[in-house]
Amino acid sequence: MENWLSASGWQRIFLNQTVWINSAIILFGTLIVWWLLRTAIRFVSNRIARYSEQRHVRFTAILVEILRSTSQSLLLIFSLLISLKFADLPANWSVAIAHSWFLALILQFTLWIDCGIRLWLKSMLRDPLHVRNPVTTVILGILLRVVVWVMMLLAILSNMGIDITALVASLGVGGIAIALAIQTVLSDVFASLAIGFDKPFEHGDFIVFGDIAGSIEHIGLKTTRLRSLGGEQIVCSNTILLQQTIHNYKRMQQRRIVFKFGINYGTPAEKVRQIGGMVKTIIEGVPDTRFDRAHFLSFDESQLTFEVVYFVLSADYNVYMNIQQEINLQLMAQLEQKQIRFAFPMRRVEFTGGVLPRINLSDASNEAPAQSAQR
């Protein structure tokens, strides 16, 4: 009897005209709405793409790619949910349809945001005007995407009626335990992020900190690698590196040079007065320099000391050395022409309070061969 009723019940359902009408409405409505949604998205994305090509706006180009990445499966689900509005369905289906709308919408929004993050990070790496650390950019992208997907998962669980308070608390406790266990690694990772955002140095910069000097070869997740002047590679922890005072010579626009030289105490005052102007003429005649000052500084132990200050309008160390060499050579030639001698260390000893014994140099020279023969 039950089998007959069951069979007759299914028969009545299949022969029910309302069921077939609703099914046809849902099927054809889904296909039509799906085609309309695809056409609308394609139309909007093409219009935005043409605007982006005319104005060269990076944000609109990213928006076009986000729209074109719309999931076709979710689009078909949206079409089905819209077509269900036109069908005669039982009242208890409304809750399930509402949940389905929420799940589909939040999943699609999450996919759009995830795609936007990836495209934004790629555009940052391709920007020729601002060279960015790829490691930092990848870390930032992973963190942002993890946050987006975790929030999406928590929102879905909350919509399904699950209490997420205990779950969030458990995740917090677990995160604290993991952070304490790998705090050294995490400190280096966050130091890498700080290097990427603050940019105290970048790839190719020549830096000096402590007794270490070298060019940046790689900024990694945990360490930074430098190539020293001696040729060896130096690996330094990111955390320790940021604790140092760093001199970045790559960003130096000019060099301030201070050097001194001394002349003989026997030089007349009139010639000493001319030396400052002579040094100024020499430096101004050398390219890529800017003269600052040249002064008779002090009376030192064995010389009259001059101090000279000038600027080299280049950060290249070889350029500075070539300029200093040319200044030195011209200074030597000018002082020689004016018969001014460079000073050299001298010590004058004056004997008082007695008579020095006389030394016969001829006798001393005769005694030296005799002593060597006896040996």
Side-chain angles (χ1 to χ4, degrees):
M1 184 68 177
E2 293 179 358
N3 293 335
W4 182 83
L5 289 174
S6 177
S8 63
W10 282 108
Q11 186 177 8
R12 283 197 301 271
I13 292 174
F14 280 114
L15 295 177
N16 192 338
Q17 186 177 6
T18 304
V19 173
W20 288 104
I21 293 175
N22 288 333
S23 300
I25 291 174
I26 293 172
L27 176 61
F28 288 105
T30 300
L31 294 176
I32 293 173
V33 173
W34 181 66
W35 179 81
L36 289 175
L37 290 177
R38 286 190 61 189
T39 304
I41 291 174
R42 189 183 302 113
F43 174 77
V44 173
S45 62
N46 291 336
R47 291 296 299 269
I48 297 176
R50 285 196 292 269
Y51 175 82
S52 176
E53 292 175 357
Q54 295 174 357
R55 302 295 181 90
H56 301 285
V57 181
R58 186 170 61 179
F59 171 75
T60 55
I62 294 176
L63 183 60
V64 170
E65 295 297 327
I66 292 174
L67 289 175
R68 291 176 177 175
S69 69
T70 303
S71 173
Q72 296 300 314
S73 300
L74 290 175
L75 204 63
L76 189 61
I77 292 174
F78 289 138
S79 304
L80 175 62
L81 293 174
I82 293 174
S83 63
L84 288 175
K85 296 286 186 179
F86 302 99
D88 187 13
L89 298 175
N92 55 359
W93 282 42
S94 59
V95 177
I97 293 175
H99 283 298
S100 301
W101 268 109
F102 179 81
L103 293 176
L105 283 174
I106 194 170
L107 184 57
Q108 183 59 69
F109 276 117
T110 305
L111 291 173
W112 279 339
I113 295 173
D114 183 84
C115 179
I117 292 172
R118 289 187 283 107
L119 294 173
W120 173 59
L121 294 176
K122 285 182 180 179
S123 66
M124 289 177 62
L125 290 175
R126 295 173 182 173
D127 190 356
L129 300 178
H130 302 89
V131 180
R132 292 175 172 85
N133 181 13
V135 176
T136 305
T137 307
V138 170
I139 296 172
L140 178 62
I142 293 174
L143 292 176
L144 290 176
R145 294 173 68 185
V146 167
V147 170
V148 169
W149 283 98
V150 168
M151 291 179 63
M152 184 271 293
L153 179 60
L154 293 177
I156 290 176
L157 293 176
S158 178
N159 182 262
M160 294 174 64
I162 299 174
D163 186 9
I164 62 172
T165 305
L167 178 61
V168 172
S170 301
L171 291 175
V173 173
I176 293 174
I178 295 173
L180 290 175
I182 57 172
Q183 56 181 339
T184 303
V185 177
L186 287 178
S187 63
D188 287 327
V189 171
F190 284 110
S192 177
L193 289 174
I195 292 172
F197 286 117
D198 193 45
K199 295 182 177 61
F201 50 81
E202 296 177 347
H203 184 273
D205 289 1
F206 184 84
I207 66 171
V208 175
F209 59 97
D211 57 348
I212 297 175
S215 299
I216 302 294
E217 279 194 340
H218 177 70
I219 303 173
L221 189 64
K222 190 177 187 303
T223 61
T224 295
R225 302 179 181 92
L226 299 89
R227 184 67 60 180
S228 72
L229 295 175
E232 72 274 14
Q233 188 181 69
I234 301 173
V235 181
C236 183
S237 168
N238 290 330
T239 304
I240 296 176
L241 184 58
L242 288 185
Q243 293 173 355
Q244 308 289 326
T245 300
I246 300 173
H247 302 266
N248 193 333
Y249 286 92
K250 180 70 175 295
R251 299 177 184 177
M252 181 172 58
Q253 299 179 352
Q254 61 183 13
R255 290 177 180 267
R256 183 179 184 269
I257 309 300
V258 180
F259 74 94
K260 297 178 182 179
F261 66 92
I263 61 173
N264 197 297
Y265 260 102
T267 307
E270 187 58 33
K271 289 186 177 181
V272 174
R273 188 180 297 275
Q274 298 173 6
I275 292 176
M278 180 184 65
V279 174
K280 179 181 179 180
T281 303
I282 291 172
I283 293 176
E284 289 179 345
V286 178
D288 295 328
T289 60
R290 186 176 77 250
F291 177 79
D292 186 31
R293 61 181 178 83
H295 291 98
F296 172 30
L297 179 64
S298 62
F299 297 92
D300 287 334
E301 185 176 355
S302 301
Q303 65 181 17
L304 303 176
T305 302
F306 278 81
E307 184 179 69
V308 181
V309 180
Y310 71 96
F311 292 89
V312 177
L313 306 181
S314 172
D316 193 334
Y317 188 78
N318 290 330
V319 172
Y320 152 62
M321 289 303 298
N322 292 334
I323 289 174
Q324 187 62 54
Q325 175 179 262
E326 181 63 26
I327 292 173
N328 291 341
L329 292 173
Q330 292 192 31
L331 183 59
M332 289 179 63
Q334 292 287 340
L335 292 179
E336 184 179 354
Q337 183 180 356
K338 294 183 178 296
Q339 298 181 347
I340 300 175
R341 298 174 59 189
F342 282 106
F344 56 89
M346 295 179 58
R347 187 170 298 276
R348 181 176 178 179
V349 180
E350 184 176 350
F351 183 78
T352 60
V355 179
L356 287 173
R358 298 184 63 182
I359 300 175
N360 192 338
L361 297 179
S362 60
D363 294 340
S365 60
N366 292 332
E367 290 178 0
Q371 292 176 358
S372 61
Q374 290 175 2
R375 294 177 183 175

